[in-house]
Amino acid sequence: WPRAAMPESAPPPTAKLDHCCGLLERGKSDEERFVGLLLASKIVAAPAGLRRVCDAALAFLARLVQSPPPPDTIGGGNPYRALALSVLASFLTDDELRSRADVLACAVAAGAAVLGAGAEATDDELRDCASVLGVALCQPAGLAEAVRVQVISSLAAAAASPLPPASDAAPGAAPEAAQ
């Protein structure tokens, strides 16, 4: 009996991860690297996959953190830095990744970029920055890295600044009294 033609199956998860990491490491353009990040968000389900993506993406993220915003950015902030912060926050959910010196250095550099003099940041960027720095500073090498890149003075200045009004307060709700 002749066999019926079998439909081609989807590539195995390792092939998809290999393709994703290849785009991140060897992409010919930033657009290809962005596609690699997007693919990673869809296919990574295990810590080992997250670690592979981190290895492949960290240099790209470090560059994104330092990139100026595109000239047509509306509403302040920096979408490149925001993306890098979001991806770094996901990397820092993994015990092994958050203890790595290269990941901590990138996380602290991202925090320094957001808190740096003259940096405009959106509320989302500030929240992600607080999350990333909070995890990084709790690691044994995190505080040393923050001191090395002089992010502590930026943190102190940010802490001394008045906070913007909470946007999630109910309309017409009275602000909380200062104690």
Side-chain angles (χ1 to χ4, degrees):
W1 293 85
R3 289 190 179 177
M6 298 291 290
E8 288 188 41
S9 61
T14 54
K16 289 180 182 179
L17 187 58
D18 289 345
H19 177 68
C20 165
C21 291
L23 288 172
L24 288 165
E25 291 173 324
R26 296 177 301 281
K28 293 180 178 82
S29 66
D30 283 350
E31 288 78 13
E32 286 186 8
R33 290 180 183 92
F34 284 122
V35 169
L37 286 176
L38 179 62
L39 289 173
S41 72
K42 304 293 182 196
I43 63 173
V44 172
L50 186 65
R51 292 176 194 133
R52 278 200 57 207
V53 170
C54 179
D55 290 339
L58 203 55
F60 179 53
L61 294 179
R63 193 165 54 79
L64 283 180
V65 162
Q66 302 303 324
S67 296
D72 58 350
T73 300
I74 297 172
N78 183 329
Y80 302 137
R81 187 177 57 213
L83 174 64
L85 282 164
S86 179
V87 174
L88 282 167
S90 69
F91 290 165
L92 292 171
T93 62
D94 181 77
D95 290 336
E96 184 179 309
L97 290 177
R98 73 172 152 247
S99 66
R100 284 181 26 185
D102 57 343
V103 175
L104 288 175
C106 190
V108 171
V114 171
L115 298 173
E120 276 191 42
T122 64
D123 289 346
D124 287 340
E125 282 179 276
L126 291 172
R127 273 190 289 278
D128 283 343
C129 177
S131 174
V132 165
L133 282 177
V135 171
L137 291 174
C138 288
Q139 304 311 304
L143 184 56
E145 182 62 25
V147 169
R148 186 185 75 74
V149 300
Q150 301 176 346
V151 76
I152 300 300
S153 58
S154 296
L155 282 172
S161 299
L163 294 174
S167 60
D168 57 353
E176 291 183 31
Q179 294 182 354

PDB file of all heavy atoms in Angstrom, residues 3-36:
ATOM      1  N   ARG A   3       1.854   4.876   0.903  1.00  0.00           N
ATOM      2  CA  ARG A   3       1.537   5.768   2.024  1.00  0.00           C
ATOM      3  C   ARG A   3       1.044   7.111   1.495  1.00  0.00           C
ATOM      4  O   ARG A   3       1.551   7.626   0.501  1.00  0.00           O
ATOM      5  CB  ARG A   3       2.765   6.022   2.884  1.00  0.00           C
ATOM      6  CG  ARG A   3       3.165   4.829   3.678  1.00  0.00           C
ATOM      7  CD  ARG A   3       4.222   5.251   4.652  1.00  0.00           C
ATOM      8  NE  ARG A   3       4.578   4.084   5.444  1.00  0.00           N
ATOM      9  CZ  ARG A   3       5.497   4.077   6.336  1.00  0.00           C
ATOM     10  NH1 ARG A   3       6.199   5.171   6.570  1.00  0.00           N
ATOM     11  NH2 ARG A   3       5.759   2.997   7.032  1.00  0.00           N
ATOM     12  N   ALA A   4       0.080   7.626   2.203  1.00  0.00           N
ATOM     13  CA  ALA A   4      -0.404   8.959   1.866  1.00  0.00           C
ATOM     14  C   ALA A   4       0.664   9.977   2.271  1.00  0.00           C
ATOM     15  O   ALA A   4       1.419   9.754   3.211  1.00  0.00           O
ATOM     16  CB  ALA A   4      -1.708   9.247   2.604  1.00  0.00           C
ATOM     17  N   ALA A   5       0.722  11.048   1.555  1.00  0.00           N
ATOM     18  CA  ALA A   5       1.693  12.089   1.897  1.00  0.00           C
ATOM     19  C   ALA A   5       1.385  12.609   3.295  1.00  0.00           C
ATOM     20  O   ALA A   5       0.251  12.959   3.608  1.00  0.00           O
ATOM     21  CB  ALA A   5       1.622  13.221   0.879  1.00  0.00           C
ATOM     22  N   MET A   6       2.399  12.610   4.126  1.00  0.00           N
ATOM     23  CA  MET A   6       2.242  13.096   5.498  1.00  0.00           C
ATOM     24  C   MET A   6       2.431  14.611   5.503  1.00  0.00           C
ATOM     25  O   MET A   6       3.363  15.125   4.877  1.00  0.00           O
ATOM     26  CB  MET A   6       3.287  12.459   6.410  1.00  0.00           C
ATOM     27  CG  MET A   6       3.181  10.935   6.504  1.00  0.00           C
ATOM     28  SD  MET A   6       1.707  10.404   7.362  1.00  0.00           S
ATOM     29  CE  MET A   6       2.083  10.896   9.002  1.00  0.00           C
ATOM     30  N   PRO A   7       1.555  15.310   6.203  1.00  0.00           N
ATOM     31  CA  PRO A   7       1.758  16.762   6.272  1.00  0.00           C
ATOM     32  C   PRO A   7       3.048  17.046   7.046  1.00  0.00           C
ATOM     33  O   PRO A   7       3.414  16.312   7.948  1.00  0.00           O
ATOM     34  CB  PRO A   7       0.532  17.265   7.033  1.00  0.00           C
ATOM     35  CG  PRO A   7       0.007  16.085   7.766  1.00  0.00           C
ATOM     36  CD  PRO A   7       0.408  14.868   6.968  1.00  0.00           C
ATOM     37  N   GLU A   8       3.715  18.100   6.629  1.00  0.00           N
ATOM     38  CA  GLU A   8       4.934  18.468   7.341  1.00  0.00           C
ATOM     39  C   GLU A   8       4.552  18.923   8.739  1.00  0.00           C
ATOM     40  O   GLU A   8       3.603  19.661   8.936  1.00  0.00           O
ATOM     41  CB  GLU A   8       5.653  19.599   6.610  1.00  0.00           C
ATOM     42  CG  GLU A   8       6.304  19.132   5.330  1.00  0.00           C
ATOM     43  CD  GLU A   8       7.174  20.222   4.742  1.00  0.00           C
ATOM     44  OE1 GLU A   8       7.875  20.901   5.502  1.00  0.00           O
ATOM     45  OE2 GLU A   8       7.127  20.369   3.522  1.00  0.00           O
ATOM     46  N   SER A   9       5.325  18.434   9.701  1.00  0.00           N
ATOM     47  CA  SER A   9       5.034  18.824  11.080  1.00  0.00           C
ATOM     48  C   SER A   9       5.763  20.124  11.395  1.00  0.00           C
ATOM     49  O   SER A   9       6.704  20.515  10.714  1.00  0.00           O
ATOM     50  CB  SER A   9       5.472  17.720  12.042  1.00  0.00           C
ATOM     51  OG  SER A   9       6.867  17.515  11.937  1.00  0.00           O
ATOM     52  N   ALA A  10       5.313  20.751  12.443  1.00  0.00           N
ATOM     53  CA  ALA A  10       5.945  21.986  12.888  1.00  0.00           C
ATOM     54  C   ALA A  10       7.352  21.654  13.376  1.00  0.00           C
ATOM     55  O   ALA A  10       7.604  20.554  13.858  1.00  0.00           O
ATOM     56  CB  ALA A  10       5.126  22.597  14.018  1.00  0.00           C
ATOM     57  N   PRO A  11       8.270  22.593  13.235  1.00  0.00           N
ATOM     58  CA  PRO A  11       9.616  22.317  13.709  1.00  0.00           C
ATOM     59  C   PRO A  11       9.604  22.060  15.216  1.00  0.00           C
ATOM     60  O   PRO A  11       8.774  22.617  15.939  1.00  0.00           O
ATOM     61  CB  PRO A  11      10.400  23.586  13.378  1.00  0.00           C
ATOM     62  CG  PRO A  11       9.431  24.575  12.886  1.00  0.00           C
ATOM     63  CD  PRO A  11       8.119  23.916  12.689  1.00  0.00           C
ATOM     64  N   PRO A  12      10.515  21.204  15.690  1.00  0.00           N
ATOM     65  CA  PRO A  12      10.551  20.941  17.121  1.00  0.00           C
ATOM     66  C   PRO A  12      10.918  22.213  17.890  1.00  0.00           C
ATOM     67  O   PRO A  12      11.536  23.124  17.324  1.00  0.00           O
ATOM     68  CB  PRO A  12      11.633  19.868  17.268  1.00  0.00           C
ATOM     69  CG  PRO A  12      12.435  19.933  16.020  1.00  0.00           C
ATOM     70  CD  PRO A  12      11.526  20.482  14.956  1.00  0.00           C
ATOM     71  N   PRO A  13      10.544  22.271  19.175  1.00  0.00           N
ATOM     72  CA  PRO A  13      10.817  23.486  19.960  1.00  0.00           C
ATOM     73  C   PRO A  13      12.289  23.882  19.958  1.00  0.00           C
ATOM     74  O   PRO A  13      12.602  25.062  19.953  1.00  0.00           O
ATOM     75  CB  PRO A  13      10.349  23.122  21.371  1.00  0.00           C
ATOM     76  CG  PRO A  13       9.390  22.007  21.192  1.00  0.00           C
ATOM     77  CD  PRO A  13       9.806  21.284  19.943  1.00  0.00           C
ATOM     78  N   THR A  14      13.201  22.909  19.950  1.00  0.00           N
ATOM     79  CA  THR A  14      14.620  23.273  19.954  1.00  0.00           C
ATOM     80  C   THR A  14      15.008  23.975  18.661  1.00  0.00           C
ATOM     81  O   THR A  14      15.828  24.891  18.682  1.00  0.00           O
ATOM     82  CB  THR A  14      15.517  22.037  20.179  1.00  0.00           C
ATOM     83  OG1 THR A  14      15.193  21.047  19.204  1.00  0.00           O
ATOM     84  CG2 THR A  14      15.336  21.471  21.566  1.00  0.00           C
ATOM     85  N   ALA A  15      14.422  23.576  17.537  1.00  0.00           N
ATOM     86  CA  ALA A  15      14.727  24.248  16.265  1.00  0.00           C
ATOM     87  C   ALA A  15      14.213  25.684  16.294  1.00  0.00           C
ATOM     88  O   ALA A  15      14.886  26.604  15.804  1.00  0.00           O
ATOM     89  CB  ALA A  15      14.117  23.475  15.098  1.00  0.00           C
ATOM     90  N   LYS A  16      13.035  25.893  16.866  1.00  0.00           N
ATOM     91  CA  LYS A  16      12.491  27.246  16.975  1.00  0.00           C
ATOM     92  C   LYS A  16      13.379  28.104  17.877  1.00  0.00           C
ATOM     93  O   LYS A  16      13.656  29.263  17.561  1.00  0.00           O
ATOM     94  CB  LYS A  16      11.068  27.211  17.542  1.00  0.00           C
ATOM     95  CG  LYS A  16      10.045  26.661  16.591  1.00  0.00           C
ATOM     96  CD  LYS A  16       8.672  26.669  17.244  1.00  0.00           C
ATOM     97  CE  LYS A  16       7.617  26.084  16.347  1.00  0.00           C
ATOM     98  NZ  LYS A  16       6.297  26.074  17.008  1.00  0.00           N
ATOM     99  N   LEU A  17      13.821  27.525  18.985  1.00  0.00           N
ATOM    100  CA  LEU A  17      14.687  28.258  19.900  1.00  0.00           C
ATOM    101  C   LEU A  17      16.034  28.555  19.250  1.00  0.00           C
ATOM    102  O   LEU A  17      16.576  29.652  19.400  1.00  0.00           O
ATOM    103  CB  LEU A  17      14.871  27.475  21.204  1.00  0.00           C
ATOM    104  CG  LEU A  17      15.612  28.192  22.323  1.00  0.00           C
ATOM    105  CD1 LEU A  17      14.918  29.498  22.701  1.00  0.00           C
ATOM    106  CD2 LEU A  17      15.720  27.288  23.542  1.00  0.00           C
ATOM    107  N   ASP A  18      16.579  27.599  18.504  1.00  0.00           N
ATOM    108  CA  ASP A  18      17.832  27.821  17.782  1.00  0.00           C
ATOM    109  C   ASP A  18      17.671  28.979  16.795  1.00  0.00           C
ATOM    110  O   ASP A  18      18.552  29.846  16.693  1.00  0.00           O
ATOM    111  CB  ASP A  18      18.256  26.563  17.020  1.00  0.00           C
ATOM    112  CG  ASP A  18      18.731  25.446  17.931  1.00  0.00           C
ATOM    113  OD1 ASP A  18      19.017  25.712  19.119  1.00  0.00           O
ATOM    114  OD2 ASP A  18      18.808  24.301  17.447  1.00  0.00           O
ATOM    115  N   HIS A  19      16.559  29.003  16.065  1.00  0.00           N
ATOM    116  CA  HIS A  19      16.303  30.069  15.096  1.00  0.00           C
ATOM    117  C   HIS A  19      16.203  31.422  15.803  1.00  0.00           C
ATOM    118  O   HIS A  19      16.808  32.418  15.381  1.00  0.00           O
ATOM    119  CB  HIS A  19      15.032  29.770  14.311  1.00  0.00           C
ATOM    120  CG  HIS A  19      14.655  30.840  13.338  1.00  0.00           C
ATOM    121  ND1 HIS A  19      15.401  31.124  12.215  1.00  0.00           N
ATOM    122  CD2 HIS A  19      13.618  31.712  13.335  1.00  0.00           C
ATOM    123  CE1 HIS A  19      14.837  32.122  11.559  1.00  0.00           C
ATOM    124  NE2 HIS A  19      13.752  32.496  12.215  1.00  0.00           N
ATOM    125  N   CYS A  20      15.454  31.445  16.895  1.00  0.00           N
ATOM    126  CA  CYS A  20      15.268  32.665  17.677  1.00  0.00           C
ATOM    127  C   CYS A  20      16.614  33.196  18.176  1.00  0.00           C
ATOM    128  O   CYS A  20      16.933  34.378  18.014  1.00  0.00           O
ATOM    129  CB  CYS A  20      14.336  32.337  18.842  1.00  0.00           C
ATOM    130  SG  CYS A  20      14.303  33.538  20.134  1.00  0.00           S
ATOM    131  N   CYS A  21      17.426  32.319  18.762  1.00  0.00           N
ATOM    132  CA  CYS A  21      18.725  32.735  19.291  1.00  0.00           C
ATOM    133  C   CYS A  21      19.667  33.148  18.172  1.00  0.00           C
ATOM    134  O   CYS A  21      20.466  34.080  18.335  1.00  0.00           O
ATOM    135  CB  CYS A  21      19.332  31.620  20.144  1.00  0.00           C
ATOM    136  SG  CYS A  21      18.434  31.366  21.690  1.00  0.00           S
ATOM    137  N   GLY A  22      19.562  32.494  17.025  1.00  0.00           N
ATOM    138  CA  GLY A  22      20.362  32.891  15.872  1.00  0.00           C
ATOM    139  C   GLY A  22      20.042  34.302  15.421  1.00  0.00           C
ATOM    140  O   GLY A  22      20.942  35.084  15.083  1.00  0.00           O
ATOM    141  N   LEU A  23      18.763  34.645  15.413  1.00  0.00           N
ATOM    142  CA  LEU A  23      18.373  36.011  15.050  1.00  0.00           C
ATOM    143  C   LEU A  23      18.931  37.020  16.050  1.00  0.00           C
ATOM    144  O   LEU A  23      19.392  38.097  15.670  1.00  0.00           O
ATOM    145  CB  LEU A  23      16.844  36.136  14.990  1.00  0.00           C
ATOM    146  CG  LEU A  23      16.151  35.469  13.816  1.00  0.00           C
ATOM    147  CD1 LEU A  23      14.635  35.499  14.001  1.00  0.00           C
ATOM    148  CD2 LEU A  23      16.538  36.145  12.507  1.00  0.00           C
ATOM    149  N   LEU A  24      18.889  36.666  17.330  1.00  0.00           N
ATOM    150  CA  LEU A  24      19.381  37.577  18.357  1.00  0.00           C
ATOM    151  C   LEU A  24      20.898  37.758  18.283  1.00  0.00           C
ATOM    152  O   LEU A  24      21.406  38.848  18.499  1.00  0.00           O
ATOM    153  CB  LEU A  24      18.975  37.082  19.745  1.00  0.00           C
ATOM    154  CG  LEU A  24      17.499  37.228  20.056  1.00  0.00           C
ATOM    155  CD1 LEU A  24      17.109  36.406  21.271  1.00  0.00           C
ATOM    156  CD2 LEU A  24      17.156  38.696  20.265  1.00  0.00           C
ATOM    157  N   GLU A  25      21.601  36.683  17.991  1.00  0.00           N
ATOM    158  CA  GLU A  25      23.072  36.748  17.985  1.00  0.00           C
ATOM    159  C   GLU A  25      23.644  37.240  16.658  1.00  0.00           C
ATOM    160  O   GLU A  25      24.644  37.949  16.638  1.00  0.00           O
ATOM    161  CB  GLU A  25      23.655  35.361  18.269  1.00  0.00           C
ATOM    162  CG  GLU A  25      23.410  34.890  19.681  1.00  0.00           C
ATOM    163  CD  GLU A  25      23.843  33.457  19.904  1.00  0.00           C
ATOM    164  OE1 GLU A  25      23.695  32.612  18.986  1.00  0.00           O
ATOM    165  OE2 GLU A  25      24.328  33.174  21.001  1.00  0.00           O
ATOM    166  N   ARG A  26      23.038  36.812  15.566  1.00  0.00           N
ATOM    167  CA  ARG A  26      23.636  37.064  14.257  1.00  0.00           C
ATOM    168  C   ARG A  26      22.703  37.793  13.300  1.00  0.00           C
ATOM    169  O   ARG A  26      22.946  37.798  12.094  1.00  0.00           O
ATOM    170  CB  ARG A  26      24.074  35.742  13.627  1.00  0.00           C
ATOM    171  CG  ARG A  26      25.164  35.024  14.399  1.00  0.00           C
ATOM    172  CD  ARG A  26      25.514  33.684  13.792  1.00  0.00           C
ATOM    173  NE  ARG A  26      24.394  32.749  13.718  1.00  0.00           N
ATOM    174  CZ  ARG A  26      23.932  32.031  14.739  1.00  0.00           C
ATOM    175  NH1 ARG A  26      24.471  32.142  15.932  1.00  0.00           N
ATOM    176  NH2 ARG A  26      22.930  31.191  14.583  1.00  0.00           N
ATOM    177  N   GLY A  27      21.651  38.393  13.822  1.00  0.00           N
ATOM    178  CA  GLY A  27      20.728  39.113  12.952  1.00  0.00           C
ATOM    179  C   GLY A  27      21.459  40.192  12.171  1.00  0.00           C
ATOM    180  O   GLY A  27      22.357  40.847  12.698  1.00  0.00           O
ATOM    181  N   LYS A  28      21.085  40.362  10.927  1.00  0.00           N
ATOM    182  CA  LYS A  28      21.743  41.349  10.069  1.00  0.00           C
ATOM    183  C   LYS A  28      21.289  42.774  10.383  1.00  0.00           C
ATOM    184  O   LYS A  28      21.917  43.731   9.951  1.00  0.00           O
ATOM    185  CB  LYS A  28      21.469  41.014   8.601  1.00  0.00           C
ATOM    186  CG  LYS A  28      22.130  39.727   8.154  1.00  0.00           C
ATOM    187  CD  LYS A  28      21.824  39.445   6.690  1.00  0.00           C
ATOM    188  CE  LYS A  28      22.507  38.202   6.218  1.00  0.00           C
ATOM    189  NZ  LYS A  28      21.806  36.981   6.542  1.00  0.00           N
ATOM    190  N   SER A  29      20.191  42.889  11.113  1.00  0.00           N
ATOM    191  CA  SER A  29      19.669  44.216  11.455  1.00  0.00           C
ATOM    192  C   SER A  29      18.987  44.148  12.817  1.00  0.00           C
ATOM    193  O   SER A  29      18.691  43.070  13.331  1.00  0.00           O
ATOM    194  CB  SER A  29      18.650  44.660  10.396  1.00  0.00           C
ATOM    195  OG  SER A  29      17.505  43.813  10.450  1.00  0.00           O
ATOM    196  N   ASP A  30      18.747  45.318  13.374  1.00  0.00           N
ATOM    197  CA  ASP A  30      18.011  45.363  14.640  1.00  0.00           C
ATOM    198  C   ASP A  30      16.604  44.825  14.470  1.00  0.00           C
ATOM    199  O   ASP A  30      16.050  44.228  15.393  1.00  0.00           O
ATOM    200  CB  ASP A  30      17.972  46.787  15.189  1.00  0.00           C
ATOM    201  CG  ASP A  30      19.282  47.200  15.837  1.00  0.00           C
ATOM    202  OD1 ASP A  30      20.163  46.332  16.026  1.00  0.00           O
ATOM    203  OD2 ASP A  30      19.433  48.388  16.161  1.00  0.00           O
ATOM    204  N   GLU A  31      16.021  45.012  13.290  1.00  0.00           N
ATOM    205  CA  GLU A  31      14.681  44.482  13.049  1.00  0.00           C
ATOM    206  C   GLU A  31      14.670  42.962  13.226  1.00  0.00           C
ATOM    207  O   GLU A  31      13.749  42.409  13.815  1.00  0.00           O
ATOM    208  CB  GLU A  31      14.189  44.872  11.645  1.00  0.00           C
ATOM    209  CG  GLU A  31      13.828  46.326  11.497  1.00  0.00           C
ATOM    210  CD  GLU A  31      15.036  47.260  11.337  1.00  0.00           C
ATOM    211  OE1 GLU A  31      16.169  46.764  11.091  1.00  0.00           O
ATOM    212  OE2 GLU A  31      14.856  48.472  11.494  1.00  0.00           O
ATOM    213  N   GLU A  32      15.702  42.282  12.734  1.00  0.00           N
ATOM    214  CA  GLU A  32      15.783  40.827  12.901  1.00  0.00           C
ATOM    215  C   GLU A  32      15.948  40.462  14.378  1.00  0.00           C
ATOM    216  O   GLU A  32      15.377  39.482  14.854  1.00  0.00           O
ATOM    217  CB  GLU A  32      16.943  40.249  12.080  1.00  0.00           C
ATOM    218  CG  GLU A  32      16.665  40.221  10.604  1.00  0.00           C
ATOM    219  CD  GLU A  32      17.750  39.513   9.806  1.00  0.00           C
ATOM    220  OE1 GLU A  32      18.663  38.892  10.397  1.00  0.00           O
ATOM    221  OE2 GLU A  32      17.680  39.564   8.561  1.00  0.00           O
ATOM    222  N   ARG A  33      16.695  41.265  15.108  1.00  0.00           N
ATOM    223  CA  ARG A  33      16.867  41.002  16.542  1.00  0.00           C
ATOM    224  C   ARG A  33      15.545  41.221  17.289  1.00  0.00           C
ATOM    225  O   ARG A  33      15.209  40.474  18.196  1.00  0.00           O
ATOM    226  CB  ARG A  33      17.982  41.874  17.096  1.00  0.00           C
ATOM    227  CG  ARG A  33      19.353  41.438  16.592  1.00  0.00           C
ATOM    228  CD  ARG A  33      20.472  42.327  17.154  1.00  0.00           C
ATOM    229  NE  ARG A  33      21.729  41.923  16.584  1.00  0.00           N
ATOM    230  CZ  ARG A  33      22.256  42.456  15.479  1.00  0.00           C
ATOM    231  NH1 ARG A  33      21.622  43.418  14.828  1.00  0.00           N
ATOM    232  NH2 ARG A  33      23.415  42.038  15.020  1.00  0.00           N
ATOM    233  N   PHE A  34      14.790  42.249  16.890  1.00  0.00           N
ATOM    234  CA  PHE A  34      13.468  42.464  17.490  1.00  0.00           C
ATOM    235  C   PHE A  34      12.563  41.264  17.221  1.00  0.00           C
ATOM    236  O   PHE A  34      11.814  40.832  18.099  1.00  0.00           O
ATOM    237  CB  PHE A  34      12.810  43.748  16.963  1.00  0.00           C
ATOM    238  CG  PHE A  34      13.381  45.013  17.546  1.00  0.00           C
ATOM    239  CD1 PHE A  34      13.923  45.982  16.717  1.00  0.00           C
ATOM    240  CD2 PHE A  34      13.366  45.237  18.906  1.00  0.00           C
ATOM    241  CE1 PHE A  34      14.445  47.150  17.244  1.00  0.00           C
ATOM    242  CE2 PHE A  34      13.883  46.402  19.448  1.00  0.00           C
ATOM    243  CZ  PHE A  34      14.431  47.365  18.613  1.00  0.00           C
ATOM    244  N   VAL A  35      12.635  40.722  16.013  1.00  0.00           N
ATOM    245  CA  VAL A  35      11.858  39.522  15.686  1.00  0.00           C
ATOM    246  C   VAL A  35      12.294  38.372  16.585  1.00  0.00           C
ATOM    247  O   VAL A  35      11.459  37.614  17.090  1.00  0.00           O
ATOM    248  CB  VAL A  35      12.004  39.154  14.189  1.00  0.00           C
ATOM    249  CG1 VAL A  35      11.442  37.775  13.899  1.00  0.00           C
ATOM    250  CG2 VAL A  35      11.313  40.200  13.326  1.00  0.00           C
ATOM    251  N   GLY A  36      13.591  38.248  16.835  1.00  0.00           N
ATOM    252  CA  GLY A  36      14.089  37.207  17.738  1.00  0.00           C
ATOM    253  C   GLY A  36      13.504  37.350  19.140  1.00  0.00           C
ATOM    254  O   GLY A  36      13.097  36.363  19.759  1.00  0.00           O
TER     255      GLY A  36
END
